[in-house]
Amino acid sequence: MRHRTFFWFFLPTALAMLLFIAFPIVSVLLQSVFAPHQAVFVEVENCTPLVGCTTETAVDHDATRSLREAQPLGRFVGLDIYFDRAHLALTEVGEAWAGADTWGAFWGKVFNLPLYRALSFTLTFTFVVTPLLIVFGLMIALAVNSLHRRLKGLMIFFSLLPMIVTPLIGSLILFWMLDSRGVVGSALVALAGDPNFSLKASTGLTWVMLMVYGVWHAAPFAFVVFYAGLQTLPKDQLESAMIDGATRWQQVKYVVVPHLMPLVTFVALIQLMDNFRVFEPIVGFNAPAHATSLSWIIFNDLGGETRQLSAASTTSVLTIIGVAILLSPVLVRTWHDFKQKT
Amino acid sequence: MSVKAQRRPLGLQLAIIGFVVLWFILAAFPFIWTVWGSFKVELDFFSIADWTNVLTGERTRAAYGRPFTGAGYNGSWVQEEFWRNVLNTLIVCFFVVCTSLTIGTLGGYALSRSSYRYTFWLLIAALIFRAMPPITLVAGYMLPFFEWNVWGILPTTIIVLVAINQPFTLWMLHSFFQKIPKELDESAKVDGCTQFQAFRHVIIPVMWPGVITTGLFSFLLAYNDFAVTSMLLSESNRTMVPEIAAYLGTTYTEGNVMFAVAAVVSATVPLFILVMFFQRQIVSGLTAGAVKG
C-alpha cells in the first residue's frame, strides 16, 4: 500500500487516538507541574472617624478571577506536587526514617501516607490475584475439558458471566451477598459464632474479599484461553507419555503445562496490567476505609465539588509510570517477535 | 488411543465433578440469587430474621400479599426514572460501536496491507495506549472540556470512548484482516480498482465475522465503563453504571436498597442475552490475541 493511501485510511483512527489519548497524556503531564492559583489578597484600610484606621486583608475577587482566566493552568510549581504529602511525601518518609527504630515502625508510618497506602494495596492485589487466577483458570479448563460435550457449552456460558458483567455491578452483587445480613455473610456469622462478625469491619478481611472478587472476575478469561489451548494438545506426545508409564499428574506437568506455557505468559501479562488498574470493586464494596488503589485516588480527587486536577494529574503520571514498568516485558517480547519476522 | 487407558479412576472423576459443580455455583449462583431476590422486599433479600425468608418471601407476602413483588423495579424505573439512564446507555453504546468500527476497520485494514516499518511502530503505540488505565486520562480531559463548554454531554463521552476503544479495535481487526489473503484485493487492483474500491467491493463482503466479534468487545467496553462516564457526564445525562453508583450514596440512607438491586439486575440482563447469542464470537475474540501471540 502506498504511503498516501495508507495515510488516508489511517487518518480517522489516528486523529481519534492523538486527540483523546496522546494529548490528554501531555495535558496530564503539564497539569501535574502547575498548581491552582491562590487567591489574590489586598490590604484594605478602613478609616472610621474618631476610631481611627485599621488595615484588613481581603480577597480581591476581581483580580483572582482575572488571574485565573489569564492562566487557566495555574502557577508553575515544578515537581512540588510530586513531593507533597498526598503523593511521594518525601519529607514525611524522611521523618519516619529518622524517627523509627525498627523496620516495622517505619513501614507502619509510611503506609499511613495516602499514596503508599494505595500502592501497597494495588501491588498486593496485582501480584496475589494474577497467579491465583491463572492456577484457578487452568484447573477449571482441565476439569471442563474432561466433561461431556453438551455440558461443556453450558459450563462455558456460565463461566463467561463473571467476566462479562460490568465490574461495578459484579462487585455489588457479591457485596450484597457478603454483607453481614446477606446470604453468605450471615452464614459466615453463624460459622464464626460471633453475631458482630463482619467482613467489612477488618482491613485484612476486606482485602481478602476484594481479591476473591478479583479472581472470580478474571479467572474466566484464563479459563477460556487455556481451554482453547487444550483443544490443540499434541495427542501423540500424550500417548507416548502414557506408554512410558507417566501418571496422570506427570502428564499434566510434563506435557500439558509446557504446551500451555505461551498462553500462561499471555494471560499473566494482560492480567498484570488489568489488575494494576483495580478500581471498581473498591467503589462497589464501599471499601475506601480499608483499601484504596492508585486509580481510586485519581477518581476521588477528580470527583466531588473541588476538582483537584493537579493532584489527580500527578497521581495519574505516577500510575502511568507504574504501567510502563509492567508493560516493558511485553514491549521487549513484541520487539523480539518483530525482529524474528523481518 | 485406547479408551480403557483414558478412563479415569472413580476418585478422580468425582473430584473433577465436584470441582466443576463448585465453579458452577461460584459463577452462576450470585446472579441467580440476585435476580430471585430482586423481586422481594429488603427484609427478605437481606436475611434480617431468617435466611429462608428469601425463599418463601414471608415479608414480601406480608407487605404485598404475594411472594413476589415488582416494587424495586417500579421504584427504580418509574420513581427514579432509570429508563432515562437506560436510554442514554443505548445511545452511547450504539454510536460508540458504529463509529469505532467504521474508523477502526479502515485503520486496521491499512495496517494489515502496508508492509512498511511504521506499521509496527503504530501497533506498538496502540499497545501502549491500550495499557493506559482510562482514568489516568480523565484529568487531562477536564480542563479543555470545561473551557470549550462540552463537558457533561453525551457526544463528548461517545468520542472519548471511541478513542479509548481504538487501540484494542485496531489490534483485533489488524490480526483479522491479515488472515484474509492479500491476493483478493491485489487481483482487484490489477483489474483496475483503486485501493478503496478494492476494500469496498472485495474486503467488505467477507469481513463481517471479524467485525462482529470486534464490535461485541467495543460494546462491552462502552457498556461496562465506569471511570470515564461517571467523570464526564453531568447528572442529567448519566448512563446506567454511574447512575447505579450514584444510587448507592442515596439509597443506603433512604433504605431503598431494592431500587439499586432492581437496577443492577436490569443492567445485567442485556449482558446475559449477549453471552447467550454470541458465546462463540466472544470466546474466539478472547483467544484470538493469545493463539496468535
Side-chain angles (χ1 to χ4, degrees), chain B residues 220-278:
Chain B
L220 284 176
L221 184 136
Y223 192 90
N224 287 346
D225 180 86
F226 172 60
V228 173
T229 47
S230 68
M231 283 289 132
L232 291 187
L233 285 173
S234 63
E235 212 166 298
S236 53
N237 283 334
R238 275 196 197 123
T239 51
M240 285 198 272
V241 180
E243 179 68 14
I244 289 172
Y247 267 13
L248 297 180
T250 52
T251 49
Y252 279 148
T253 49
E254 288 170 13
N256 281 336
V257 181
M258 293 322 288
F259 289 11
V261 177
V264 157
V265 172
S266 315
T268 320
V269 167
L271 294 174
F272 263 65
I273 297 168
L274 192 82
V275 178
M276 222 181 275
F277 283 100
F278 295 104

Side-chain angles (χ1 to χ4, degrees), chain B residues 191-205:
Chain B
D191 291 346
C193 285
T194 64
Q195 185 83 45
F196 187 76
Q197 282 170 329
F199 174 70
R200 162 94 183 64
H201 296 291
V202 180
I203 299 299
I204 285 188

Side-chain angles (χ1 to χ4, degrees), chain A residues 35-73:
Chain A
H37 289 292
Q38 280 154 338
V40 180
F41 291 104
V42 281
E43 299 219 321
V44 189
E45 206 177 28
N46 279 337
C47 285
T48 355
L50 300 176
V51 181
C53 289
T54 52
T55 41
E56 277 178 8
T57 326
V59 177
D60 185 344
H61 289 288
D62 288 336
T64 311
R65 198 181 315 122
S66 64
L67 183 63
R68 284 194 181 144
E69 269 166 20
Q71 295 164 301
L73 265 179

Side-chain angles (χ1 to χ4, degrees), chain B residues 183-198:
Chain B
E183 288 73 29
L184 272 182
D185 34 339
E186 290 301 328
S187 58
K189 273 161 76 180
V190 169
D191 291 346
C193 285
T194 64
Q195 185 83 45
F196 187 76
Q197 282 170 329

Side-chain angles (χ1 to χ4, degrees), chain A residues 141 144 165 167 252:
Chain A
V144 169
V165 75
V252 169

Side-chain angles (χ1 to χ4, degrees), chain A residues 137-321:
Chain A
L138 184 64
M139 281 164 70
I140 305 169
L142 286 172
V144 169
N145 197 36
S146 68
L147 290 179
H148 187 265
R149 200 165 50 83
R150 297 251 163 120
L151 276 175
K152 281 179 184 172
L154 193 73
M155 278 310 291
I156 293 174
F157 170 76
F158 281 105
S159 302
L160 283 176
L161 291 179
M163 178 190 62
I164 245 66
V165 75
T166 316
L168 182 79
I169 288 178
S171 48
L172 273 176
I173 288 177
L174 288 199
F175 178 63
W176 285 326
M177 293 178 71
L178 290 167
D179 187 281
S180 58
R181 302 171 303 149
V183 59
V184 179
S186 50
L188 286 176
V189 169
L191 274 181
D194 172 9
N196 294 321
F197 177 83
S198 166
L199 285 172
K200 287 182 278 180
S202 107
T203 302
L205 287 176
T206 309
W207 283 35
V208 171
M209 196 163 69
L210 288 167
M211 286 176 199
V212 166
Y213 166 79
V215 174
W216 180 76
H217 175 67
F221 173 67
F223 155 61
V224 168
V225 172
F226 294 151
Y227 180 78
L230 285 177
Q231 308 312 310
T232 60
L233 210 57
K235 286 263 160 48
D236 45 343
Q237 272 187 38
L238 264 186
E239 220 167 308
S240 44
M242 224 168 351
I243 291 167
D244 290 349
T247 61
R248 227 163 269 279
W249 169 242
Q250 282 169 331
Q251 286 172 33
V252 169
K253 192 175 165 195
Y254 294 112
V255 182
V256 177
V257 171
H259 175 71
L260 294 180
M261 218 45 209
L263 298 181
V264 172
T265 328
F266 167 78
V267 173
L269 293 172
I270 295 271
Q271 287 299 322
L272 278 179
M273 287 190 296
D274 281 358
N275 288 329
F276 190 73
R277 52 172 89 160
V278 51
F279 160 53
E280 282 103 335
I282 295 177
V283 178
F285 281 95
N286 197 13
H290 298 293
T292 53
S293 72
L294 294 175
S295 301
W296 185 84
I297 291 189
I298 303 173
F299 178 80
N300 193 44
D301 280 345
L302 284 175
E305 293 295 302
T306 54
R307 299 187 181 274
Q308 294 168 298
L309 291 184
S310 299
S313 301
T314 310
T315 317
S316 297
V317 173
L318 294 171
T319 312
I320 290 174
I321 293 173

